Amino acid sequence: MLRARLLQLMCLAAGAAVFGACEAPARQPATDPDPATPRRADAANPWAAFDPDTVQPGTRAGGLVLDTLHSRDVASGYDADVAVFGGEIELSGRTMIHPDADIARETICFEADSVAGRLLPYMEGDRRRRWFCFEDQAVTAGMLAVPGEVTPATIVIDGYTIIFGSSDEVNRARLVRVLSRGADGGTGAGAADSAADAAREQAVRAIVAFLRGESELDPRLLADTVELHVAPEGGGESRRIARQALLDRDAWRIGERSLLPPEIPARLSTMPGQHVNCRVYSLESRDPALARLPHVGASLQQAPAGSCLQTWNMTFIFAAAPGHPILVAVLYDQWEW
């Protein structure tokens, strides 16, 4: 293809491969995050390839559907094609260390394995390995891993964005949830922990949907009484409310402060074992007693993403007893909407 050929000529003229745009030499540099894994050629996954010169929004490539495609000047000052795909997709693989040492210290990236990689779309002529970095690094660190850590995982992403051109920018996506993580691949005790986390995350999503007025609340998700707490920065007030009363959204308040999310479009992220206030924290920093119980941090962020100050954050604390999740307390934090 003419576009791919032009990029190859640019690389030859420069005497070296342009990171993120050109095919790497046969011998990969020592900084490559996974030198044992070969780069995948177009022919290995033809049904996921698309021609940026002819493709139209709504076209399916791999496991996703194209939302928008445009050209723009990227951060490095070069022109690049940018393709944004809609919908969620499940990927297995592992977190990886960004090849740029300066970026690696603060950035979490992910490479799909050889099977899941076939689900990711790519532009014809793009011979890069199927990897990307996450948009919201603070949320990703709480849900999945920290920068510089290699963690096998199965995840769900959305907003998959391809940036292809003479640029050092890389593909990106938003982490929606973590299905499994760890070296055991989700087996044994790790699987039990993951299943319990997944059940609590599902419960949080159901409760948040109720708080947003989108559905009714299953009373079985609530203890006989539930403690409502405001974080210390907000005054530290608390209140105990009976289960039946909490089936009314208006009861989710402490004094004059409503704990309900604003009625504006927002995306929900859930983080087992974490607390969120703009950034991800340990719940121990807010309430050591509550931190001893299983808990899930939840954050609603406006779309498109703005400042982390424009988020609604609440941590949901559950009973430690086995079985289906039972909410015993919540801690409300950050009300700067």
Side-chain angles (χ1 to χ4, degrees), residues 124 188 314 323:
E124 292 179 355
M314 185 180 285

Side-chain angles (χ1 to χ4, degrees), residues 251-334:
W252 291 72
R253 63 173 52 252
I254 298 178
E256 297 299 316
R257 176 178 286 133
S258 172
L259 307 190
L260 299 180
E263 295 180 358
I264 59 177
R267 300 184 302 189
L268 175 65
S269 297
T270 54
M271 289 144 276
Q274 300 291 347
H275 173 75
V276 187
N277 179 349
C278 200
R279 294 186 176 276
V280 178
Y281 297 90
S282 166
L283 185 56
E284 181 83 16
S285 66
R286 296 296 190 268
D287 192 311
L290 294 179
R292 289 193 286 269
L293 294 172
H295 52 278
V296 177
S299 180
L300 282 168
Q301 186 176 62
Q302 294 183 63
S307 166
C308 68
L309 294 177
Q310 296 175 304
T311 57
W312 173 92
N313 302 304
M314 185 180 285
T315 296
F316 296 80
I317 298 94
F318 294 89
H324 75 275
I326 298 177
L327 186 73
V328 297
V330 299
L331 179 63
Y332 177 66
D333 210 340
Q334 197 164 334

Side-chain angles (χ1 to χ4, degrees), residues 37 41 177 184 208 211 318:
T37 301
R177 55 186 173 274
D184 64 1
V208 172
L211 295 177
F318 294 89

Side-chain angles (χ1 to χ4, degrees), residues 10-68:
M10 290 169 59
C11 293
L12 291 173
V18 178
F19 179 73
C22 305
E23 184 177 356
R27 182 178 298 277
Q28 297 176 1
T31 55
D32 192 287
D34 188 1
T37 301
R39 295 177 182 265
R40 305 180 181 99
D42 293 352
N45 190 16
W47 68 291
F50 63 94
D51 183 346
D53 292 328
T54 60
V55 70
Q56 297 295 320
T59 299
R60 176 172 291 277
L64 293 170
V65 176
L66 179 67
D67 274 353
T68 61

Side-chain angles (χ1 to χ4, degrees), residues 210-273:
F210 162 74
L211 295 177
R212 302 183 76 181
E214 298 171 350
S215 63
E216 299 296 323
L217 180 59
D218 185 346
R220 294 175 298 178
L221 294 176
L222 304 177
D224 291 341
T225 60
V226 176
E227 297 179 357
L228 307 185
H229 298 268
V230 173
E233 290 89 340
E237 298 93 345
S238 63
R239 179 187 179 195
R240 293 175 60 89
I241 306 180
R243 174 198 293 133
Q244 192 62 37
L246 289 177
L247 299 181
D248 182 351
R249 294 173 65 238
D250 290 337
W252 291 72
R253 63 173 52 252
I254 298 178
E256 297 299 316
R257 176 178 286 133
S258 172
L259 307 190
L260 299 180
E263 295 180 358
I264 59 177
R267 300 184 302 189
L268 175 65
S269 297
T270 54
M271 289 144 276

Side-chain angles (χ1 to χ4, degrees), residues 73-156:
D73 291 334
V74 292
S76 59
Y78 293 97
D79 181 67
D81 286 330
V82 179
V84 181
F85 288 82
E88 297 183 355
I89 189 169
E90 178 181 323
L91 300 173
S92 53
R94 63 179 183 171
T95 60
M96 56 172 277
I97 302 172
H98 195 289
D100 187 319
D102 292 332
I103 299 175
R105 287 195 291 267
E106 57 186 22
T107 304
I108 307 166
C109 304
F110 189 88
E111 182 169 23
D113 61 29
S114 59
V115 175
R118 294 177 176 271
L119 299 174
L120 290 175
Y122 63 97
M123 297 182 189
E124 292 179 355
D126 183 355
R127 296 180 181 273
R128 295 174 299 176
R129 290 158 50 181
R130 306 295 173 241
W131 67 280
F132 55 87
C133 295
F134 295 100
E135 290 186 346
D136 194 327
Q137 290 289 314
V139 170
T140 302
M143 296 172 65
L144 181 59
V146 298
E149 179 179 303
V150 177
T151 302
T154 300
I155 63 176
V156 176

